[in-house]
Amino acid sequence: VHRLRSVDNLFVVVQEFKDYQFKENKEDALKDLEDLVKKLPWTNPLKVWELNNSLKKKKTKRKKHNLQSTASKEKLNDDGEEEGRDQKDASKQEDCAQNAAGVEPVSGQDTEKTQGVASRNGGEEEEEDNEQSDAKDEVQAGSGSETKAGDGKTSEGEAKVLKFRVTCNRAGDKHSFTSNEAARDFGGAVQEHFQWKADMTNFDVEVLLNIHNNEVVVGIALTEESLHRRNITHFGPTTLRSTLAYGMLRLCDPQPTDIIVDPMCGTGAIPIEGATEWPSCYHIAGDNNPQAVKRAANNICSLLKKNENKESSTSLGIPLDIVQWDICNLPLRTGSVDIIVSDMPFGKRIGSKKKNWDLYPACLMEMGRICTPGTGRAVLLTQDKKCFAKALSRMGHIWRKGQTVWVNVGGLHAAVYLLKRTWERAEEKRSFW
């Protein structure tokens, strides 16, 4: 399962409640969550967690003796095993805070990180009451630090006390409590039950509490950092998750020897994922922004270095090139491209909605020109659905809409469109071809 490409985070489910009845009163609802800890079947999930760690240790030959290396500082978005789950629960607004053992939050720690919204979508916040709290709960008072790991669940040395944190993702507006409070109280009960020690950054076990309306899932994380970070080392303002890039590429069913182009590649997330997973195709990435082209080139270099380490001596290279170009004037021969996959500007972080009204039709026109009539296809992601629909209706003679997949991109409701190229010849704009 660690090799699955469309999965952001993995966790083993301790127990799932399809229709959990939350009490109206906040204190009662939180008390119920506390009491739940004692009733949950922890034994098998902890065995899976242990097995997962022992495999990971063998694979990476970690020098550290603790069961899991220092967990990454990155905020995990543990809201789904699958893209599908991820899209449902993807955090539209995340509030993250850290509490020390029922004391007031230490100044500077109570940071509102609406990272799911503000940082990725440039401002249009969907105010569904949906929070992620790496609430990290906590009872960091160090109680239980001398005790043995609860129920003797550690594999090495019974004296080692496991460190843990609780991360709560909550979506829905019918709850009387915040994700922060749920994580704090649930975490307190976990600590009492196992005699583990709370630690926000250097934890061994991450317990997940996912609450989506009346659905509650308790799980234990099997990934230290989200799997979507696998390819990219140089991020731009709107870098696409590798998991979403994979899903988009899958939609167009690449065949060996296909030429796949991303004409607005940004930091190169889509073509890099494509070249990694479909090495028998040829991938071309391009962008008009020199900064983006530079970042994409750096990402490609990082990937080549990584491949070198694996093979130890020579790198095989990857079937991918990056070019700086103008999307409306591509230096590619008419009808020479099999597949176009691109994340179009939403008009938020990059460009503007107003500019999109001219840009989208021009893009679709030029994409239609370079795409092979009859067999060519395009998969395009955008949040500016109104503008895209209008542009598509104007280009109906060269593009037919196949299917639409709704996705959640950092809290924005976006769409992935699969388009099929008609047999119609695209107009030649230039005389020199």
Side-chain angles (χ1 to χ4, degrees):
V1 291
H2 278 277
R3 291 209 182 104
L4 291 170
R5 311 309 285 167
S6 62
V7 171
D8 270 5
N9 294 286
L10 299 171
F11 59 93
V12 52
V13 176
V14 177
Q15 202 167 349
E16 195 169 356
F17 303 91
K18 286 275 179 248
D19 189 24
Y20 188 93
Q21 295 304 312
F22 288 104
K23 299 264 171 61
E24 296 284 316
N25 178 323
K26 180 157 113 175
E27 280 69 33
D28 294 346
L30 290 169
K31 182 80 176 74
D32 276 0
L33 282 176
E34 273 185 52
D35 295 343
L36 190 60
V37 172
K38 297 186 197 70
K39 300 174 196 155
L40 293 172
W42 293 99
T43 315
N44 285 344
L46 279 165
K47 280 184 184 148
V48 173
W49 170 84
E50 219 166 84
L51 175 69
N52 180 61
N53 279 6
S54 62
L55 293 173
K56 210 157 47 180
K57 268 202 332 213
K58 277 181 206 145
K59 207 169 78 187
T60 52
K61 297 195 177 70
R62 291 234 166 89
K63 291 188 184 77
K64 291 203 160 110
H65 291 304
N66 48 342
L67 288 172
Q68 206 171 7
S69 84
T70 308
S72 87
K73 304 279 188 291
E74 191 227 356
K75 295 282 164 284
L76 294 177
N77 230 12
D78 298 288
D79 39 354
E81 291 166 289
E82 287 265 300
E83 265 315 306
R85 183 74 145 285
D86 195 286
Q87 283 146 20
K88 266 194 301 185
D89 299 1
S91 27
K92 289 175 186 120
Q93 185 184 15
E94 305 171 346
D95 72 15
C96 302
Q98 303 181 334
N99 287 4
V103 189
E104 281 301 304
V106 184
S107 66
Q109 279 189 314
D110 191 7
T111 46
E112 282 268 323
K113 289 201 177 139
T114 47
Q115 113 211 59
V117 186
S119 67
R120 258 176 294 198
N121 65 23
E124 178 176 289
E125 306 195 3
E126 290 192 23
E127 283 293 342
E128 182 188 332
D129 185 9
N130 183 340
E131 316 167 17
Q132 183 203 41
S133 152
D134 281 323
K136 301 229 184 134
D137 120 85
E138 335 227 42
V139 270
Q140 230 153 343
S143 57
S145 53
E146 306 311 315
T147 42
K148 290 197 297 210
D151 300 2
K153 291 284 188 316
T154 45
S155 55
E156 13 180 301
E158 290 297 346
K160 181 179 185 304
V161 180
L162 287 182
K163 297 186 188 131
F164 81 104
R165 82 170 183 194
V166 170
T167 300
C168 174
N169 290 289
R170 186 183 68 77
D173 45 16
K174 303 243 181 335
H175 308 123
S176 57
F177 51 86
T178 65
S179 55
N180 218 351
E181 292 163 336
R184 183 194 64 211
D185 291 12
F186 191 80
V190 169
Q191 187 186 31
E192 255 169 60
H193 185 62
F194 290 109
Q195 296 295 306
W196 290 343
K197 189 179 176 195
D199 191 324
M200 296 341 310
T201 48
N202 205 352
F203 51 87
D204 302 308
V205 190
E206 178 165 43
V207 178
L208 309 172
L209 179 60
N210 288 349
I211 301 169
H212 193 269
N213 293 323
N214 276 1
E215 189 185 15
V216 175
V217 181
V218 179
I220 297 172
L222 300 178
T223 42
E224 286 172 46
E225 87 172 343
S226 190
L227 299 177
H228 76 261
R229 297 174 66 93
R230 57 180 168 263
N231 298 331
I232 306 297
T233 48
H234 295 71
F235 288 84
T238 56
T239 297
L240 195 68
R241 290 165 168 245
S242 299
T243 42
L244 192 49
Y246 175 82
M248 288 169 68
L249 285 151
R250 268 284 295 275
L251 263 185
C252 49
D253 187 26
Q255 299 302 311
T257 74
D258 274 355
I259 290 176
I260 304 177
V261 173
D262 181 352
M264 295 179 274
C265 70
T267 46
I270 295 172
I272 286 173
E273 183 65 22
T276 314
E277 291 301 304
W278 286 271
S280 52
C281 301
Y282 182 58
H283 305 262
I284 307 172
D287 203 285
N288 67 341
N289 180 344
Q291 182 65 34
V293 173
K294 199 166 136 192
R295 282 186 187 132
N298 285 334
N299 283 327
I300 295 169
C301 288
S302 305
L303 195 63
L304 287 169
K305 277 202 191 86
K306 204 164 87 183
N307 289 355
E308 248 173 54
N309 297 345
K310 273 186 217 154
E311 329 288 54
S312 75
S313 53
T314 52
S315 167
L316 300 170
I318 45 175
L320 166 59
D321 267 329
I322 172 102
V323 191
Q324 185 176 341
W325 60 29
D326 168 10
I327 173 67
C328 302
N329 220 357
L330 298 171
L332 293 167
R333 194 178 299 160
T334 299
S336 62
V337 171
D338 299 288
I339 295 173
I340 294 167
V341 188
S342 202
D343 172 10
M344 309 210 18
F346 290 9
K348 289 186 173 302
R349 279 293 167 105
I350 288 177
S352 68
K353 295 253 179 187
K354 193 162 168 256
K355 282 186 188 151
N356 283 352
W357 286 96
D358 293 329
L359 178 69
Y360 280 21
C363 285
L364 286 173
M365 190 74 180
E366 185 66 344
M367 287 173 182
R369 183 187 69 77
I370 63 168
C371 212
T372 318
T375 56
R377 49 238 184 258
V379 169
L380 305 173
L381 163 72
T382 179
Q383 189 255 334
D384 198 347
K385 301 177 281 281
K386 196 163 129 199
C387 177
F388 188 86
K390 188 84 172 117
L392 193 59
S393 67
R394 280 170 59 186
M395 296 295 147
H397 59 296
I398 49 176
W399 290 113
R400 289 260 178 284
K401 192 163 82 173
Q403 69 182 109
T404 307
V405 181
W406 304 109
V407 294
N408 185 317
V409 182
L412 290 179
H413 185 53
V416 172
Y417 299 95
L418 172 61
L419 309 179
K420 303 274 172 65
R421 177 71 171 84
T422 63
W423 287 98
E424 190 81 25
R425 265 194 73 196
E427 302 155 39
E428 295 287 343
K429 283 194 302 198
R430 291 160 287 188
S431 53
F432 54 80
W433 283 125

